[in-house]
Amino acid sequence: MTPFDTIITGGTVVTAADTFQADIGITDGRIAAIGQALTGAAEVIDASGLLVLPGGIDSHVHIAQPSGDGVTMADDFESATRSAAFGGHTTLLPFCLQAKGQSLRDAVTWYHGLADGNCYTDVSFHLIITDPTPQALNQDLPALVEDGYTSVKVFMTYEGMKLTDKEILQTLEAAKTCGALPMVHAENDDAIEFLRDRAADRGEVAPKYHASTRPIPAEREATHRAISLAEIIDVPIMIVHVSNGDAIGEIKAGRARGSTVFAETCPQYLVLTADDLDVTGFDGAKYVCSPPPRDTDSQAACWAGLEQGVFDVFSSDHCPFRYDDSEGKKHPEGLKSFRWVPNGIPGVETSLPILFSEGVGKGRIDLNRFVALTSTNHAKMYGLYPQKGTIAVGSDADIVLWDPTRVEVIRQGILHHGADYTPYEGIEVTGWPIRTILRGQTIVADGELRAEKGVGAYRTRARSGQTRAA
């Protein structure tokens, strides 16, 4: 009987803290040994010349989420997790949306019905609260946190989803009481509605006006307000998809006051700008997401935030819609005005190569910071560490083998999501995942799917180590 099921040999192991040469022995889906010249396995994987990284964790993805009348997301759990695995991810944290009038428990049950048995990666759900009733906050949320659903998101924008300041305070207080980590989409909806109405009066309905009607001050103000509301309750808070230096300044100011503020940014704020929306015809709709891409100064500010530690995690905000589809970007109402264009872009398969190439490859961040931003910090933030997010004895054998020299041009034809386009078309990257291993089983290797759907499973989470009740 061999001591290991699998040995990964000859690679350079990278964690958030260390970089070293070692073999990895895997038994029963977990890392059983890390050492030199390991022997005795049914399967030996040669990783010579490759980086051996913890599997990517994307803690901000939208999958099969209700998106309005006549609008359908391009990815279900099968296609989204397949695409994620090709991109080097082994765990996704999508959002379970509570509809108005729906209990949180019913929302979770419904969402499990979509996910269970259909995944190629492991998954775990954040909760979105849109209807903060006493039952939702005082009964459902505490019970669900005990069951391992330990993070909750609120919106400050979007009709049907946004909460008032009072409702946000009530939700933050409930989260603090039961130890859930709050996440906030910070944009000032009243300011956006004012600007959108004014644009409509002027006949400014092209996709490019999506960006100009969601300006930086609307995000800056909402970021300040979200942090202030969290200070009133004295609860940690995560500001998601930060896009610019002004919002970063509010996060720094909150931290300087002693607040516990976490922050996330995404690839669209590093390599896209509002100019991508400003094109002839309707193609600008391919880049409609919120907050929108900004300008080159904002890109530089976000890179500085990654380099300097302002950002704790890097996520894709994968929110896919088909472009050439009446239930997608070319929805009949969307063709009339930008305000009805389905809001979101695909990116779960391309986010890691973009950050590696533009970050590690260009000397902005080192390998250890890359691992922290794309795996370890997610696991620690959201109650999955040390089962996930690191290469250590006893941890799940979630591993990606990465070729740091492989050059690829991102293009729709090589991707595996359900969308019919990528907003990152034509971007050349250096560094590419070539093998993705989930709990010891190869899911993707050499550009081919090697597993059946259902290999991925739902994972309950502990409370975040950052919450008071952890």
Side-chain angles (χ1 to χ4, degrees):
M1 183 175 179
T2 57
F4 305 111
D5 300 325
T6 303
I7 293 173
I8 300 172
T9 184
T12 300
V13 178
V14 184
T15 70
D18 299 297
T19 304
F20 54 93
Q21 299 291 129
D23 298 344
I24 298 174
I26 299 169
T27 301
D28 295 332
R30 293 183 179 268
I31 297 172
I34 301 173
Q36 303 297 321
L38 298 181
T39 59
E43 177 186 38
V44 176
I45 299 172
D46 184 3
S48 299
L50 303 177
L51 302 176
V52 182
L53 312 178
I57 300 174
D58 194 332
S59 59
H60 194 146
V61 296
H62 301 270
I63 302 171
Q65 184 176 303
S67 303
D69 292 339
V71 177
T72 303
M73 276 198 168
D75 273 324
D76 57 16
F77 276 89
E78 179 179 358
S79 61
T81 58
R82 180 181 64 232
S83 179
F86 274 94
H89 290 102
T90 52
T91 303
L92 299 185
L93 277 69
F95 294 93
C96 175
L97 171 66
Q98 174 207 26
K100 294 284 188 181
Q102 184 184 37
S103 75
L104 280 175
R105 179 67 71 178
D106 285 348
V108 167
T109 299
W110 174 81
Y111 209 46
H112 270 290
L114 302 180
D116 294 351
N118 291 314
C119 296
Y120 290 98
T121 68
D122 284 351
V123 297
S124 189
F125 302 162
H126 304 295
L127 305 174
I128 293 177
I129 292 182
T130 67
D131 196 5
T133 63
Q135 176 183 327
L137 297 183
N138 302 328
Q139 298 179 39
D140 291 352
L141 181 60
L144 286 166
V145 170
E146 288 299 319
D147 288 345
Y149 304 84
T150 55
S151 46
V152 58
K153 185 180 181 183
V154 298
F155 284 83
M156 302 175 82
T157 187
Y158 300 142
E159 190 64 36
M161 298 176 71
K162 64 183 178 181
L163 302 186
T164 66
D165 285 0
K166 181 178 180 180
E167 289 172 327
I168 292 171
L169 286 166
Q170 291 168 336
T171 304
L172 293 177
E173 184 176 52
K176 178 182 179 181
T177 299
C178 61
L181 179 67
M183 310 163 70
V184 179
H185 178 136
E187 289 183 287
N188 184 312
D189 193 67
D190 283 345
I192 291 165
E193 282 300 304
F194 169 81
L195 292 171
R196 293 203 300 192
D197 290 345
R198 191 170 69 178
D201 291 342
R202 295 173 175 173
E204 296 171 345
V205 296
K208 68 179 181 180
Y209 295 108
H210 171 79
S212 59
T213 58
R214 304 185 89 98
I216 287 173
E219 183 181 349
R220 179 188 66 215
E221 185 280 331
T223 301
H224 173 82
R225 183 158 40 99
I227 294 169
S228 298
L229 296 175
E231 288 174 346
I232 291 170
I233 301 300
D234 187 27
V235 65
I237 194 170
M238 165 68 77
I239 307 295
V240 297
H241 48 49
V242 176
S243 74
N244 63 86
D246 284 8
I248 290 170
E250 295 295 339
I251 291 162
K252 289 180 175 179
R255 291 175 178 172
R257 291 192 300 270
S259 297
T260 305
V261 186
F262 304 105
E264 166 198 88
T265 197
C266 308
Q268 53 267 41
Y269 309 121
L270 304 179
V271 297
L272 302 178
T273 70
D275 290 343
D276 289 302
L277 284 81
D278 188 6
V279 294
T280 302
F282 194 66
D283 277 4
K286 293 179 178 179
Y287 305 92
V288 167
C289 61
S290 296
R294 303 297 187 182
D295 53 25
T296 53
D297 286 345
S298 295
Q299 286 181 343
C302 288
W303 275 115
L306 288 168
E307 295 166 18
Q308 297 167 8
V310 176
F311 292 117
D312 302 279
V313 293
F314 176 82
S315 305
S316 67
D317 193 8
H318 178 77
C319 187
F321 298 95
R322 292 179 61 81
Y323 173 68
D324 195 14
D325 191 329
S326 63
E327 293 186 0
K329 295 289 187 179
K330 290 187 176 180
H331 185 272
E333 295 301 314
L335 290 170
K336 297 176 184 177
S337 172
F338 70 88
R339 75 187 303 162
W340 307 117
V341 172
N343 203 324
I345 58 176
V348 72
E349 190 169 347
T350 51
S351 62
L352 298 186
I354 287 171
L355 183 64
F356 187 93
S357 184
E358 293 293 315
V360 178
K362 295 186 177 180
R364 291 170 164 134
I365 59 174
D366 63 20
L367 279 171
N368 308 108
R369 178 76 173 138
F370 175 80
V371 169
L373 286 165
T374 61
S375 185
T376 308
N377 289 359
H378 296 262
K380 290 181 176 180
M381 189 70 60
Y382 296 111
L384 288 167
Y385 188 85
Q387 181 183 7
K388 306 285 189 184
T390 192
I391 294 177
V393 173
S395 296
D396 283 0
D398 293 355
I399 294 169
V400 58
L401 303 187
W402 194 276
D403 185 343
T405 64
R406 179 167 169 173
V407 176
E408 286 284 352
V409 176
I410 294 174
R411 55 201 187 278
Q412 172 64 14
I414 66 171
L415 301 179
H416 302 84
H417 55 212
D420 58 354
Y421 79 99
T422 170
Y424 306 108
E425 185 78 33
I427 294 178
E428 183 178 278
V429 295
T430 300
W432 198 259
I434 63 168
R435 192 176 191 123
T436 303
I437 299 168
L438 174 66
R439 288 181 275 108
Q441 181 174 347
T442 294
I443 308 302
V444 171
D446 301 320
E448 296 183 357
L449 190 64
R450 299 285 183 89
E452 300 293 328
K453 72 174 183 178
V455 64
Y458 186 84
R459 296 295 162 187
T460 60
R461 291 179 284 126
R463 289 176 175 84
S464 171
Q466 310 298 338
T467 61
R468 307 282 192 264

